[in-house]
Amino acid sequence: MHFLVQTKPYPDEALESYLIRLASDNSYDGYSELADILWQWLAEQDHELEGALPLELKKVDVYHARQASSFRIRALKLVAQLADVNAGDILELACRRSNFKFGNLAAVSRNELTIPLELLRTDNIPVCIECLYESSYIPFYWHLKPYKACYKHKTQLTTHCGECHNLIDYRASEAFLECNCGCKLTNSEQLNDADFKIASALAGNNSDKIVGLISWFAKDKQLDVSDSGFNRAFVDYFSTWPDGLITELDILTNNARLKQLNPFNKTKFNSVYGDLLRDGQIAATSNRKNKLLDEIINYFVELVDSNPKAKHPNIADLLLCAFDAAVLLNTTTEQVYRLH
């Protein structure tokens, strides 16, 4: 069995988008019909792979496999064989669960990009109408919650159907320019400059530097990344970096002095600054660099320098727990216990 048409994947294409195009090019009535045939063929080729490729397009990406994602990968390799394309080209479109964590947040990796799992859209995928008229495929970054505008055409992504007003999801309609209700998609939203800035960063070479910061900011400010005003709040905060962070830390420091109940050398660091260091790990990049923690450490180095050891305990004498000490020293809690 081989497909008559060998559909080539685009480097920035979403896996679900490629499978829709593969089905369409080979005259199948959408992915659902193709998946049914692949299900039977995979079972005949390798009984272990029966069910490795789900019938629902929303569940097809590798990170959705709860167990034995290796079976999903093997199934995609066989699909590549049928399509007569390099298996690596298709696997590069897939998101896989990563061993790396953004603090306590699970991560997925796609090609060389690692992102917090929580930044992936689950219920809808907005689109750029102009992009789809130029090239009929869905780029992966449209799947990211902070990506709300098209950096190429400087227009907002279309999120709702103009007819039924439901959220758009090409994985449900299995069509790029049609809603699930069958109506053609249109765009009438005005460009938001903050959304454009975030979109440009996510689609560029610096995407790995921003995804962790976005998740940290959402958690720290208790905001929803999907909200229309999130990108504006994020851009405003980091446009004066690190002034906003320093102001917040100064407020916590001054409040600790005003509300002091116990001597500082008997006061826990996290009772003053909360989960500052623990949450700060979320802002890391996959190569372990962390712009946020660097500024936090600089702040506390200066705080200690300006509050030298004295007869009476001061704010620099707060007690660190083993975890916070490990974060500051960029090591493990085991090494901290040994040092102690």
Side-chain angles (χ1 to χ4, degrees):
M1 175 181 170
H2 275 83
F3 295 123
L4 294 178
V5 178
Q6 287 78 47
T7 304
K8 303 297 181 184
Y10 294 96
D12 63 340
E13 186 171 13
L15 178 63
E16 298 91 334
S17 167
Y18 172 75
L19 292 173
I20 289 176
R21 292 197 303 113
L22 181 65
S24 176
D25 290 350
N26 286 277
S27 302
Y28 290 104
D29 187 20
Y31 168 79
S32 52
E33 183 181 356
L34 172 63
D36 189 48
I37 293 171
L38 287 174
W39 182 296
Q40 300 174 36
W41 185 81
L42 288 172
E44 293 172 1
Q45 298 300 308
D46 187 339
H47 71 277
E48 289 186 333
L49 296 183
E50 184 175 4
L53 211 59
L55 299 177
E56 188 180 1
L57 186 59
K58 278 187 176 182
K59 302 295 183 183
V60 78
D61 211 339
V62 174
Y63 76 93
H64 288 296
R66 294 185 178 180
Q67 297 177 339
S69 60
S70 59
F71 289 160
R72 184 73 54 90
I73 292 173
R74 280 166 58 187
L76 289 173
K77 286 181 177 179
L78 286 175
V79 171
Q81 181 181 323
L82 297 180
D84 195 26
V85 298
N86 189 305
D89 292 342
I90 290 184
L91 292 179
E92 285 183 353
L93 308 183
C95 290
R96 314 183 200 186
R97 290 190 179 272
S98 172
N99 292 328
F100 180 81
K101 284 186 176 294
F102 290 86
N104 61 347
L105 301 181
V108 294
S109 60
R110 182 188 188 273
N111 206 355
E112 296 181 357
L113 176 63
T114 302
I115 60 174
L117 177 60
E118 65 172 20
L119 291 189
L120 289 182
R121 288 187 167 105
T122 55
D123 300 326
N124 71 299
I125 309 293
V127 299
C128 172
I129 307 297
E130 293 185 50
C131 279
L132 290 175
Y133 277 124
E134 291 178 359
S135 301
S136 187
Y137 78 97
I138 304 292
F140 160 72
Y141 36 79
W142 291 2
H143 283 243
L144 301 178
K145 290 179 182 178
Y147 194 94
K148 301 172 184 176
C150 176
Y151 77 100
K152 292 181 180 178
H153 298 103
K154 297 183 178 180
T155 182
Q156 292 294 116
L157 297 188
T158 301
T159 57
H160 291 78
C161 171
E163 186 67 25
C164 70
H165 306 295
N166 288 332
L167 288 169
I168 294 166
D169 191 343
Y170 75 93
R171 299 167 302 178
S173 63
E174 296 191 10
F176 298 147
L177 282 166
E178 287 184 8
C179 172
N180 207 24
C181 70
C183 292
K184 290 285 185 182
L185 301 179
T186 57
N187 185 21
S188 58
E189 294 185 57
Q190 290 187 336
L191 177 66
N192 179 307
D193 65 319
D195 290 343
F196 174 72
K197 289 177 181 178
I198 297 296
S200 300
L202 290 172
N205 296 326
N206 295 322
S207 52
D208 61 321
K209 297 179 181 178
I210 194 176
V211 288
L213 286 172
I214 288 173
S215 285
W216 168 79
F217 187 75
K219 178 175 176 57
D220 187 68
K221 310 304 176 190
Q222 298 183 338
L223 299 174
D224 188 337
V225 180
S226 300
D227 287 348
S228 58
F230 177 85
N231 285 349
R232 166 55 58 199
F234 180 87
V235 169
D236 288 346
Y237 185 83
F238 282 95
S239 64
T240 58
W241 179 260
D243 294 351
L245 175 67
I246 293 173
T247 298
E248 292 166 0
L249 294 177
D250 281 341
I251 291 172
L252 293 175
T253 301
N254 292 331
N255 283 343
R257 289 179 172 133
L258 291 173
K259 301 176 182 180
Q260 179 187 357
L261 296 177
N262 298 312
F264 281 124
N265 63 348
K266 294 182 180 180
T267 303
K268 294 180 180 180
F269 174 88
N270 52 25
S271 70
V272 175
Y273 297 100
D275 293 330
L276 175 70
L277 297 175
R278 185 182 296 270
D279 291 345
Q281 292 186 303
I282 296 174
T285 63
S286 55
N287 62 2
R288 308 289 176 179
K289 293 183 179 180
N290 193 317
K291 175 180 179 179
L292 173 67
L293 279 182
D294 287 346
E295 290 298 336
I296 290 174
I297 290 171
N298 288 340
Y299 178 86
F300 288 118
V301 167
E302 189 172 322
L303 184 70
V304 172
D305 287 344
S306 59
N307 291 274
K309 194 75 174 176
K311 183 177 180 180
H312 298 288
N314 60 52
I315 190 69
D317 294 319
L318 294 173
L319 299 175
L320 287 168
C321 67
F323 183 87
D324 286 343
V327 173
L328 287 171
L329 295 172
N330 192 25
T331 187
T332 64
T333 52
E334 181 182 354
Q335 294 297 331
V336 171
Y337 285 126
R338 287 180 179 178
L339 177 64
H340 185 264

